[in-house]
Amino acid sequence: MKNDEVLKLNFAGWPLPDGYLLELGRVAALWAILESFLNLCIGKLAGFNELNDPKAFILVTHSSFPQRLDILGALCEQLTNEFPNLKGYEAVIRQLRQAQKLRNDFMHYGMALNPDSGHIEMAKGTARGTLKVGVEKVDVADLRRASMAIHLAQLALHNLVLRH
């Protein structure tokens, strides 16, 4: 299909109400910004001072987010004596992990309208050690809280690494 044909299609309310889709997009956009910023911070702490230095990118780009947090923690722990502003790194890493948990909830599980209740619901499950499954009601405010947590985690990272 050509662009003009695609743009004429009515996607309103599909696959979720537009308010949910807007907030899901916000979560995804903020997460992408946070991940890129974390990569830059790791490169900076590792001694790569040029933002465009490909070595830092090569070293972290294919690492998982938990691996990047481990790298961040190890670098901060090693550099704390030289840079005292890094002393609060454990709290920042906890904040980043919490932001990741909130993001993962909305990006890894599908949401759908329950026609019986009229609510948007998300089926969740885990099988780590034991099987846990359930269905949770999701409000737009829940998505906004995730966006806010991601943004606040990025600010905390910024203050940790770039504060003078």
Side-chain angles (χ1 to χ4, degrees), residues 70-86:
D70 288 343
I71 293 167
L72 175 69
L75 287 167
C76 287
E77 187 265 334
Q78 289 296 305
L79 295 169
T80 300
N81 288 338
E82 188 177 349
F83 302 100
N85 59 295
L86 296 175

Side-chain angles (χ1 to χ4, degrees), residues 108-128:
H108 291 186
Y109 300 106
M111 287 181 252
L113 175 65
N114 179 331
D116 295 330
S117 68
H119 298 291
I120 300 296
E121 296 179 344
M122 178 172 56
K124 292 176 62 174
T126 180
R128 290 195 172 121

Side-chain angles (χ1 to χ4, degrees), residues 33-68:
I33 293 165
L34 172 62
E35 279 199 294
S36 294
F37 185 63
L38 175 59
N39 293 350
L40 289 173
C41 288
I42 289 170
K44 182 78 172 154
L45 291 171
F48 300 103
N49 290 317
E50 295 297 320
L51 289 179
N52 295 325
D53 191 326
K55 293 184 287 287
F57 178 81
I58 290 165
L59 291 172
V60 298
T61 197
H62 294 295
S63 300
S64 68
F65 192 78
Q67 289 170 325
R68 292 178 205 181

